[in-house]
Amino acid sequence: MLRRTAPPNLMVVFGASGDLAKRKLLPALFHLFRQDLLHEGFTVLGYARTEMSDDEFRNQIGEALREHQEAEHTTAFDNVAWENFAPRLFYQPGGYDDLASFQNLATRVAELDQETPTQQNHLFYLATPPNVFEPVTSLLKEVGLSNHSNGAWTRLIVEKPFGHDLESAQTLNEHLLKVFREEQVYRIDHYLGKETVQNILVFRFGNGIFEPIWNRNYVDHVQITVAESLGVGSRGGYYDKSGAIRDMVQNHVMQLVALTAMEPPVAYDAESVRNQKVNVLRSVRPIDPLEVNNWVVRAQYGRGKVHGSEIPGYLQTEGIAPTSTTETYLAWKLEIDNWRWNGVPFYVRTGKALPTKVTEINVMFRRPPLMYFDSRETRRQQVRNVVTLRIQPDESIILSFDAKRPGPQLDVEQVNMDFTYSRAFGGTDISDAYERLLLDAMLGDSTLFIRRDETELAWDRVTNVLEGWAIQEEILRRRGKVLQLPQYAAGTWGPLESDDLLAHDSHYWRNPELNGKG
Ligand code: BG6
């Protein structure tokens, strides 16, 4: 296998003094650097409003990297690598919507292209709040930075939130595509950079034994759980405007659905893989907004204990209005109307303040036609063969099936056959999603980035739900009532309404075993 190392380039990070840059981007770049995966001509230019010199920026980032290292690893901070990395970092202060700042930026970029061997390849990263996406990209165009010289490239990475509904996503796409070509735009969803998410495709299409049974003839239903144990903490200001549907479902959860359900691509390349994901999203049955409650459950966490620590209810969190109707939990029954999945519900759920942090996909197979073997579970008619793709933590793939318990009587118990990353590939660090994605963007590989049509289709289905909720609220308002979301105590698996959604189909959630992490 060829080692994938990045070509030389200058990466301009907008929002360089923000949380994302410090917690994710720079640590990822530093780790790539330490693995020798960046070119010697790699240079970072941080850009933000705060006045700072290059050295002050380097100090800030150095501190952030040390903190990150302490939080994530037991190994000591690599001072030698840092001493070599720091001189590659530069900083340019400026506004996000004034031409003069961008003219200064263009001058600085030209200087750095001269002083460092960037080969005039430019990667712009929008790690800013979304309200400046449009002005920043317009100004890039105005000062000539959206162009590139012969033989060089210019790319743009856009962070979420990518719009807040279908219309705003379309508007943003139209705007970006006036400045850049679609091939230059890399819409990031960090879930796609997770090793185990990529492994969904290897598991399905790199093996001959699973794909023949991965369809409506054998699969009864699919469950996808993306649970988080933390509450919203200090991110209330952002979260309250998004809620679980925009923060997690439109992007991460829909991507997991697409990868689990997609047809084999004609080749493993950006266009073929994304074509098949788009086909799945197109096949997701749009719901009638008036029937939203038949398909979607939303709720908010109340006070409770997670891993033994008390956390305040969502409405008691600082920065959240006590009347907020933002959902912190969402469960959705999706139907995929295509030949492979017709009649196989995909139940997805995500929430904050759940008992543990875990993401897993459970493919629940049909039962055998006759159930001969008696056991407590089979009597309840609940046992199934299950393939569990555990995305995080304890990355693994588990096959659950029935086995005879040793002894004179015929007692059956569900057992697991499991493949665990840490055991199989012991000692290999599972790298952070951002590392993989930043490297891919530098290499011009957009397979793991979201194409325009993908994001718009996901927004289309999500917007049906948002419309349904808006209608409900309007009806209540006219009756002089206010909406109150179902509550679940922090540290529990969500509201009863979510269990009812499955019980209606004689199904029940398969809750991951608690492992004390999170
Ligand atoms: C982000 C959301 O996209 O994903 C956060 O904005 C969420 O609210 C996070 O906590 C979860 O990511 P991960 O990688 O920790 O599962």
Side-chain angles (χ1 to χ4, degrees), residues 160 190-191 194 228 235 238-239 247-248 252 352 357 359 392:
K160 70 163 211 200
H190 79 279
Y191 266 57
K194 290 181 191 278
E228 295 188 89
R235 290 174 76 227
Y238 152 77
Y239 192 85
D247 187 49
M248 298 295 286
H252 312 324
K352 301 267 184 208
K357 179 172 173 74
T359 299
Q392 61 184 14

Side-chain angles (χ1 to χ4, degrees), residues 72 191 194-197 225-229 307 354-361 388-398 418-423 430 493 512-518:
E72 303 276 312
Y191 266 57
K194 290 181 191 278
E195 287 282 350
T196 35
V197 170
T225 296
V226 184
E228 295 188 89
S229 53
H307 298 316
L354 298 181
T356 192
K357 179 172 173 74
V358 65
T359 299
E360 67 179 37
I361 299 165
T388 302
L389 304 173
R390 168 72 64 91
I391 307 296
Q392 61 184 14
D394 309 328
E395 293 80 358
S396 47
I397 297 176
I398 305 157
D418 64 356
F419 147 75
T420 311
Y421 268 69
S422 57
R423 243 185 288 142
I430 293 195
W493 281 109
E513 279 165 29
L514 295 186
N515 52 21
K517 292 191 186 168

Side-chain angles (χ1 to χ4, degrees), residues 486-500:
Q487 302 278 310
Y488 59 100
T492 65
W493 281 109
L496 291 175
E497 286 81 349
S498 168
D499 294 338
D500 292 345

Side-chain angles (χ1 to χ4, degrees), residues 384-388 398-402 414-417 510:
R384 295 187 184 279
N385 294 127
V386 186
V387 168
T388 302
I398 305 157
L399 173 63
S400 308
F401 57 93
D402 276 358
Q414 192 155 64
V415 293
N416 291 337
M417 213 153 80
R510 188 177 164 91

